[in-house]
Amino acid sequence: MKMEGFDRKKHWDKVYETKNVDEVSWYQPVPETSLNFLKQFNVSLSASIIDIGGGDSFLVDHLLDLGYRDVTVLDISANAIERAKKRLGNKADRVKWIVADAASFVPSQSYDFWHDRAAFHFLTEADDIANYLNTAQASLTANGVLVIGTFSEQGPNKCSGINIKQYSEVSMTKHLSAYFEKIKCIEVEHQTPFDTVQSFVFCSFKKK
C-alpha cells in the first residue's frame, strides 16, 4: 500500500465522489454474514460496536433498526461517511462517525464488537498490519469479539485498482495469533452488482 506517490485517503475520496452506491463491487444491501455473527454471539443492544471501513455500508442501517445504541463507523474517506449520513437522515445523529485510516487511528473508547468487512485486506505493509492489530487488541473489551472478512486465496488479488492481501483461515489465524484466539472461520461467496462472484473468508476471534 505504500506505493510511491500513492495517497490512500485521496484514492478513496475519489471513489466515493465518482461512483454511486451500487457501482462498487462491495455493494451489499443486506449484510447477512455480518448480521449472522451478531446473532451468533448474542451481542447485546447496549454493546459498543465499531465498523471498520464502514464507509457507506448498509450495516449501520441494520444495526440502528435492530436497536443498537452505541455504534461507531470508521472510514478513511470523508465522502463515504457523508454519503452514509445523508442516507440515514436524522438517524445519523445516533452514530459516532470517525474519519481516519484504520492503520493509524487511536480509539477514544473500548469496543465489545469489532467488525471489519474488506478493510483489513487493503493493509499490505507489515507496519500497517501490526498497528491495526495492536489497536484492535488494545481497544477490544475482555469479552469482546473481533470479526474480520477479507478476500480469500480464491478471491481477487486487487480491488478498486489496488493490490490487496489475500487470506485463508490458516494465514489469518496465524497473523492474529499473538493477541487473539480463533473462534470460527467461514467462506462466503459475495455476488457483486456486476454479476461476478468474490470469495471471502470471515473469521471471528476473542482476546487471549
Side-chain angles (χ1 to χ4, degrees):
M1 288 295 296
K2 292 182 178 178
M3 295 178 290
E4 186 175 353
F6 180 76
D7 186 325
R8 193 150 57 196
K9 177 175 174 56
K10 185 176 180 180
H11 172 86
W12 289 111
D13 275 335
K14 184 175 181 180
V15 168
Y16 286 105
E17 182 180 349
T18 58
K19 293 185 180 292
N20 293 325
V21 67
D22 59 352
E23 292 179 330
V24 292
S25 63
W26 52 90
Y27 173 63
Q28 189 181 44
V30 182
E32 292 181 1
T33 300
S34 302
L35 294 171
N36 285 339
F37 274 109
L38 286 163
K39 293 176 185 176
Q40 174 188 341
F41 294 111
N42 195 26
V43 179
S44 72
L45 295 180
S46 61
S48 298
I49 297 173
I50 185 165
D51 187 18
I52 301 294
D56 63 351
S57 158
F58 284 76
L59 178 60
V60 63
D61 305 58
H62 291 272
L63 292 176
L64 294 178
D65 288 345
L66 287 168
Y68 285 98
R69 302 187 292 273
D70 188 353
V71 179
T72 300
V73 176
L74 177 144
D75 202 275
I76 195 171
S77 171
N79 289 344
I81 284 179
E82 286 306 312
R83 282 180 17 171
K85 287 181 177 180
K86 185 175 180 179
R87 185 183 70 240
L88 287 168
N90 292 335
K91 290 194 292 186
D93 294 336
R94 294 156 51 191
V95 180
K96 300 170 188 174
W97 304 95
I98 299 175
V99 178
D101 190 324
S104 58
F105 96 104
V106 179
S108 59
Q109 69 173 94
S110 297
Y111 300 102
D112 302 304
F113 191 84
W114 176 293
H115 173 268
D116 178 335
R117 172 183 178 259
F120 183 63
H121 65 199
F122 283 107
L123 305 181
T124 59
E125 295 289 335
D127 287 348
D128 286 344
I129 294 171
N131 288 342
Y132 178 107
L133 295 178
N134 286 336
T135 299
Q137 189 273 342
S139 62
L140 200 66
T141 58
N143 296 315
V145 173
L146 172 77
V147 172
I148 296 182
T150 72
F151 285 151
S152 77
E153 292 179 342
Q154 288 72 48
N157 53 28
K158 284 189 175 185
C159 182
S160 188
I162 303 175
N163 290 330
I164 61 91
K165 185 174 178 63
Q166 297 172 325
Y167 287 91
S168 65
E169 176 175 348
V170 172
S171 64
M172 189 183 296
T173 302
K174 182 178 179 181
H175 258 84
L176 275 66
S177 62
Y179 297 136
F180 300 99
E181 179 181 343
K182 183 188 70 179
I183 301 172
K184 180 182 180 182
C185 290
I186 59 173
E187 294 186 2
V188 177
E189 298 294 307
H190 168 61
Q191 185 84 26
T192 75
F194 320 120
D195 292 326
T196 58
V197 175
Q198 296 176 334
S199 178
F200 277 79
V201 57
F202 276 79
C203 291
S204 54
F205 299 87
K206 60 182 178 180
K207 288 174 75 168
K208 285 187 173 179

